[in-house]
Structures are given as C-alpha cells and as structure tokens.
Amino acid sequence: MNTSTRIWLITGVSGGLGRALAKEAALQGEIVYGTLRKPEQITAFNELVPGKTFGLELDVNNHGQIKSVVEQIMAKSGRIDVLVNNAGYGLFGAIEELSMDEARMQMETNFFAVLAMTQAVLPILRKQRSGHILQISSMSGLRANSGTGLYNASKFALEGMSEALALELQPLNIHLTLVEPGPFRTDWAGTSSVSAKNKIEDYELSSGARLRLLQSTSGKQPGNPAKAAKAILLAVNSDHPPLRLLLGKVALDAVRDKFKTVEEEFSKWEAVSLDTSFEE
C-alpha cells in the first residue's frame, strides 16, 4: 500500500460513480485527474475539490487523444499511481434488434477504449513497479440478462482481458481490481444509455419488459455512489486488494445465484463432460 499522495487518472467523471470516486479520493488527499468529453465541464470538475481535482478533455474512443492526456499528466505530476477505467455506457435492446454499428460502438467504448487506456498507462506502472488499475465492470460482466446482451458482452470481454492482465502483472507489484456494481443511483439507465433504433414486437415480453423496468427505476436504484466510492478506496488502500469487488446486495445475490446455477448444471452433466477422452 502506497501511503504517500497518489496520482489518479479517472475516465468519465462528469457524473455518477466516476465523479463520486474522484471526489472521495481527492477528499482523502489524493491528486485526481478526471477526463470529460466536453470542455465546458472542465471548470466545474476543477472546482470539485480545489487544488486536488483537475479536468482534462478526452473522448476515450480517440486513442490518439489518450496518449496526449497521459503525457499531460506525466508532465505535471511525473507519475500515475491509480488508473480508473470508468467511462462507458449501456446499450439497450434485444440481440436481434441491434445493428452492427450499435454493437460495434458499444464494444469500442466499453472494451477497446479501456484496452487502449490500459496499454497507454502500463509502461508507466511497469517502470514504477507499482500502481493499481481499477476496471469499472458490472454485475453484468458476470451475469447476463435480456435486453442488455451487448452491454453484457462488453463487460464479459473486459472481465476476461482483465483477469489475464492481473496474472501478467503479479510479478510487477501492480494490482488490478474489477469493480462490479449492481444498480446504483446514477444516470446509467437514463439519458446516459442508448437504445436500439430497431424494435421487434416478439421481444416485448422478454427484453422489452426488462428494459421498461430498468428505465422506470432509474434514479431510484438502491446503491449510493458515495458509499461505493468509499468501498473502492478501501480496496485501493488494502495491502491485499481483491481481484473482484462486487458492490451492493443485488449484485452479490445475483452473482452468487449465477454461480450456484452453473455448478448445479456442471454436476448434472458431469458424466457426459468426463466421457470425452481417449480410452487409454
């Protein structure tokens, strides 16, 4: 655990969990660089915790701009200790309803942009032989549901890549934590989300019903972003941070139920699974 003032880079700090985490880290004495897509948002972020929070313009899908942001931070602070890949959005729609352009943009933002940012910062962390990468995933990265299949796919991809990266980083004293929130009171299911333009009536009772529920509860979710930020800081400050940090009872219950169901199915089909080897 690094007890000195750390330098944080958090993507997507205009609101929600990203902003809550930036504020909490800064209030705990850290220096936080936060990225925002709109230049007019920068001043407000600079004033969030004056002298501790600094806004930088970035569209995470502009990989050339990622390099520039990292260079700016290094020029000002000389190091990066904590990278938080938070920027992303939810794409709503049944699998058949989604266009290829809609699907690709979901993967570009939620996966490839995270990969690009992670690759941009890794040389710095390797040189330092220290650091912590926080990948803001979701309970949806471990358990899929109707209506958010491509969002699930983007987070499943993030989980797989990050699990491998964590193993690669073990000898280098660099930590990685996948943060997996359940429903938190942010705008994720509101104006921050994108819905498929195409609608197919046959899916109204499955994905349609779930998406109406998600949107009707937007702003009423049980999770408190400020408390989530404190939980994430506890993980970062731990001598033995977790690979996965589920946030909220809904997430914990849902993922435990998923693993229970998977294990039951494995057991049911165990004989078939095992009867696939050459007879010696």
Side-chain angles (χ1 to χ4, degrees):
M1 179 176 64
N2 183 0
T3 57
S4 61
T5 299
R6 291 169 295 201
I7 308 299
W8 289 56
L9 167 55
I10 307 177
T11 64
V13 294
S14 62
L17 182 58
R19 199 173 191 87
L21 181 56
K23 183 177 181 179
E24 181 62 31
L27 289 174
Q28 291 194 23
E30 313 282 56
I31 300 295
V32 180
Y33 291 92
T35 74
L36 306 122
R37 284 189 298 166
K38 300 176 182 177
E40 60 268 26
Q41 298 172 316
I42 290 175
T43 299
F45 185 74
N46 290 344
E47 295 171 351
L48 185 64
V49 183
K52 295 290 186 181
T53 53
F54 303 93
L56 296 169
E57 184 182 354
L58 174 66
D59 177 348
V60 292
N61 289 316
N62 184 333
H63 297 179
Q65 202 177 17
I66 285 175
K67 181 181 178 183
S68 173
V69 162
V70 171
E71 288 174 348
Q72 288 178 62
I73 295 171
M74 291 301 291
K76 292 178 181 177
S77 295
R79 62 185 298 116
I80 295 173
D81 298 294
V82 184
L83 167 64
V84 186
N85 283 306
N86 171 71
Y89 70 95
L91 175 61
F92 294 170
I95 298 298
E96 189 182 350
E97 293 175 332
L98 298 168
S99 71
M100 284 297 158
D101 285 343
E102 289 168 335
R104 285 192 176 98
M105 184 51 66
Q106 177 78 129
M107 296 302 294
E108 282 292 338
T109 302
N110 287 10
F111 178 72
F112 286 108
V114 173
L115 177 59
M117 178 61 82
T118 302
Q119 288 181 331
V121 173
L122 277 171
I124 297 164
L125 304 185
R126 285 192 295 106
K127 185 177 180 180
Q128 294 170 179
R129 283 298 192 268
S130 69
H132 200 142
I133 298 171
L134 295 168
Q135 310 286 44
I136 305 302
S137 181
S138 168
M139 62 180 276
S140 297
L142 292 170
R143 174 174 174 159
N145 216 325
S146 61
T148 52
L150 256 293
Y151 179 74
N152 292 135
S154 70
K155 295 300 186 180
F156 269 60
L158 176 62
E159 293 267 337
M161 180 270 285
S162 299
E163 190 172 317
L165 178 59
L167 294 172
E168 294 166 358
L169 297 177
Q170 276 183 356
L172 304 178
N173 193 39
I174 301 168
H175 300 293
L176 185 147
T177 298
L178 283 151
V179 180
E180 297 151 339
F184 273 73
R185 203 162 297 180
T186 70
D187 198 34
W188 178 83
T191 57
S192 292
S193 65
V194 173
S195 294
K197 293 183 175 66
N198 184 34
K199 298 295 177 188
I200 299 173
E201 189 175 347
D202 282 347
Y203 295 113
E204 279 302 301
L205 294 179
S206 56
S207 64
R210 178 167 181 261
L211 295 178
R212 285 191 295 275
L213 176 63
L214 278 176
Q215 291 166 334
S216 70
T217 57
S218 181
K220 306 170 189 174
Q221 299 97 324
N224 182 338
K227 287 187 175 182
K230 290 180 184 295
I232 293 169
L233 261 296
L234 284 174
V236 173
N237 290 332
S238 171
D239 289 326
H240 303 286
L243 172 61
R244 288 186 167 86
L245 178 64
L246 282 158
L247 295 178
K249 186 178 187 301
V250 173
L252 199 59
D253 288 350
V255 173
R256 278 178 168 160
D257 181 67
K258 155 80 178 276
F259 289 156
K260 178 173 177 286
T261 301
V262 168
E263 179 55 39
E264 287 172 352
E265 195 163 70
F266 285 168
S267 296
K268 182 178 180 181
W269 287 85
E270 182 174 4
V272 175
S273 298
L274 295 176
D275 190 24
T276 54
S277 301
F278 285 108
E279 299 295 336
E280 298 296 340

